Amino acid sequence: MMSSGKKKLRVGVLYGGRSGEHEISLQSAASVIKNLDTSRYDILPIGIDKQGRWHVGSMKLIQDSPKTLSIAQDGPEMALPSYPVSKSEGSLDVIFPIMHGPLCEDGTIQGLLELSELPYVGSGVLASAVGMDKDVAKRLARDSGIPVVPYVVAKKGQWLKDPKKVGALVEKEIGFPCFVKPSNMGSSVGVHKVKSTTDLAPALSDAFKYDSKVLIEKAIAAREIEVSVLENAKEGEPPLVSIPGEIAPTHEFYSYEAKYLDENGAHLMIPAKLDAKQVEQAQKIARDVFTALECEGMARVDMFLDKNSGKFYLNEINTLPGFTQISMYPKLWEASGVPYKELLNRLIELALERHRRKQDLSREYLP
Ligand SMILES: Nc1ncnc2c1ncn2[C@@H]1O[C@H](COP(=O)(O)OP(=O)(O)OP(=O)(O)O)[C@@H](O)[C@H]1O
Ligand SMILES: [Mg+2]
């Protein structure tokens, strides 16, 4: 913890990015910046535009647009990942990447930050990449005894070569209704509920627009339960879990439209109406997935609770969850006794601690 009088930490907030969730990131970043304690931190907003260029901004961005941060167009462009931009500025102490989706939370940015030896908030390269790939994440989870909904994988090559064979596999192994979804995506982009054989081909060709690997999953009548996870500051101790929340979409499923185009697309319920045993089951899955995927910092774990069987399944893990003040991740923490500002402090402290631990590792093998 910092005591007063100590030098302020320079926090670079990295936001925007080249994914479909660019706009969500602008809102998440605005909330994060507004809530970072300015008595402890000096904040530098660094916006990545949709073309992938990095723009260094200033706190004026927040004054101009408090709800959704814009990207500075007049400031210096940053040649990645070199910082300081000019010698007169100090270097950054920690980066808070607050971007979602491919090229943002999939380990690519994290790799760049590793190379530049900057401490950063959230999971490292491995967990970020694995968390982004729904197929690999589920395989690892399954290996740890975490229940996942039955699914098969189709590769674009197989599909183009022999679509009938893929169709037959789906009918035999999964049946209808099923969900078709790109393995690496987010925001329900390319996700389809397929009710019969005739709808399968169009759903698959759309999903293959976004990734060369697609999951076809048994559709279940599910309640959607989410738990926020935070790394334990005590090394080696199990991660901390929030109370569960629930998202009840008002559409047939939690589609892109329900998420972003319809203000009343879903009801958020905190806490989720669950009995004590169900709360424990949901929290156990959340803890186990975070650990199995070797996550660090934070993650939001999304689960299905089968309305028919009463069984929980892991749906997916988000290593950089939405972070606006009304987003599920911080709201669940707030309801579990960790206010938004405190959450930011803890995440930054965890980032610095991991960096210290890494630097303590032996480099004796170097000549
Ligand atoms: N097997 C399933 N059974 C029932 N509903 C499902 C299933 N798979 C997906 N859905 C519905 O589709 C939505 C989107 O699916 P999923 O969460 O897998 O995609 P996403 O694009 O990764 O979303 P995110 O932005 O959370 O990463 C879910 O929230 C749920 O409403
Ligand atoms: Mg989802």
Side-chain angles (χ1 to χ4, degrees):
M1 292 289 135
M2 281 189 53
S3 59
S4 58
K6 245 187 170 177
K7 186 180 150 284
K8 284 195 206 176
L9 281 177
R10 293 205 80 202
V11 182
V13 176
L14 200 52
Y15 64 96
R18 278 188 286 168
S19 82
E21 287 152 288
H22 181 96
E23 269 75 25
I24 314 299
S25 164
L26 303 183
Q27 294 169 27
S28 291
S31 281
V32 166
I33 290 179
K34 256 190 302 174
N35 283 286
L36 280 168
D37 179 353
T38 49
S39 71
R40 301 161 74 121
Y41 310 116
D42 277 329
I43 303 156
L44 186 77
I46 306 164
I48 302 181
D49 67 25
K50 289 180 179 171
Q51 285 70 43
R53 287 186 298 263
W54 292 37
H55 303 267
V56 178
S58 67
M59 290 301 280
K60 191 171 173 299
L61 291 174
I62 274 287
Q63 287 144 25
D64 292 348
S65 177
K67 282 231 164 95
T68 176
L69 211 56
S70 56
I71 289 180
Q73 296 301 336
D74 45 357
E77 269 195 34
M78 190 161 151
L80 237 181
S82 68
Y83 201 84
V85 184
S86 71
K87 285 227 168 80
S88 60
E89 291 177 86
S91 62
L92 290 166
D93 295 303
V94 59
I95 297 277
F96 200 132
I98 193 71
M99 313 185 281
H100 323 293
L103 300 176
C104 296
E105 65 170 305
D106 62 355
T108 47
I109 289 288
Q110 289 72 17
L112 210 54
L113 296 171
E114 288 289 341
L115 286 173
S116 52
E117 297 209 27
L118 278 169
Y120 58 93
V121 167
S123 279
V125 176
L126 177 72
S128 302
V130 167
M132 194 71 219
D133 188 310
K134 294 190 200 313
D135 168 44
V136 178
K138 281 182 214 266
R139 281 196 261 153
L140 278 184
R142 212 164 43 192
D143 188 51
S144 295
I146 298 157
V148 300
V149 177
Y151 72 97
V152 292
V153 162
K155 294 282 184 65
K156 196 172 189 166
Q158 296 171 314
W159 162 247
L160 292 176
K161 195 170 147 222
D162 197 348
K164 277 205 183 115
K165 196 170 167 192
V166 173
L169 176 76
V170 171
E171 268 188 57
K172 179 166 171 271
E173 301 287 334
I174 305 299
F176 300 99
C178 62
F179 270 85
V180 167
K181 47 179 121 168
S183 194
N184 288 273
M185 248 295 142
S187 293
S188 302
V189 173
V191 178
H192 299 271
K193 184 171 183 177
V194 177
K195 295 180 180 164
S196 67
T197 318
T198 42
D199 297 335
L200 184 63
L204 280 168
S205 31
D206 184 59
F208 278 124
K209 282 204 275 194
Y210 305 101
D211 195 6
S212 56
K213 180 165 68 170
V214 165
L215 272 65
I216 303 108
E217 208 171 88
K218 196 172 153 60
I220 52 174
R223 286 175 65 189
E224 303 195 40
I225 307 293
E226 306 191 348
V227 171
S228 295
V229 190
L230 190 60
E231 182 187 336
N232 199 317
K234 291 197 193 101
E235 202 184 345
E237 293 290 317
L240 311 174
V241 288
S242 73
I243 56 165
E246 177 164 1
I247 294 213
T250 54
H251 295 224
E252 178 150 12
F253 70 96
Y254 203 22
S255 59
Y256 183 87
E257 288 71 25
K259 282 180 187 173
Y260 305 118
L261 305 179
D262 177 358
E263 262 180 43
N264 305 310
H267 302 296
L268 247 70
M269 284 163 285
I270 299 176
K273 281 205 186 83
L274 298 172
D275 63 33
K277 192 167 159 234
Q278 290 172 319
V279 169
E280 211 175 285
Q281 286 173 328
Q283 289 177 330
K284 177 170 170 18
I285 290 180
R287 218 183 277 118
D288 288 353
V289 179
F290 192 90
T291 307
L293 271 52
E294 307 204 10
C295 293
E296 293 166 294
M298 62 174 150
R300 196 192 72 226
V301 175
D302 298 352
M303 285 159 270
F304 294 140
L305 172 55
D306 191 326
K307 290 179 193 167
N308 299 320
S309 68
K311 210 177 150 193
F312 275 101
Y313 295 95
L314 165 70
N315 176 30
E316 57 164 347
I317 186 160
N318 294 282
T319 50
L320 277 176
F323 223 109
T324 70
Q325 259 162 306
I326 56 161
S327 297
M328 196 57 130
Y329 183 80
K331 282 200 80 153
L332 285 177
W333 275 125
E334 212 147 82
S336 308
V338 186
Y340 195 103
K341 280 175 192 281
E342 164 68 13
L343 185 58
L344 298 178
N345 291 339
R346 289 210 202 175
L347 286 168
I348 288 173
E349 190 47 50
L350 286 167
L352 295 171
E353 188 48 42
R354 169 179 56 186
H355 194 68
R356 283 193 282 270
R357 278 203 305 268
K358 267 198 182 155
Q359 292 201 313
D360 280 348
L361 292 174
S362 169
R363 296 193 183 193
E364 272 169 19
Y365 54 87
L366 292 175

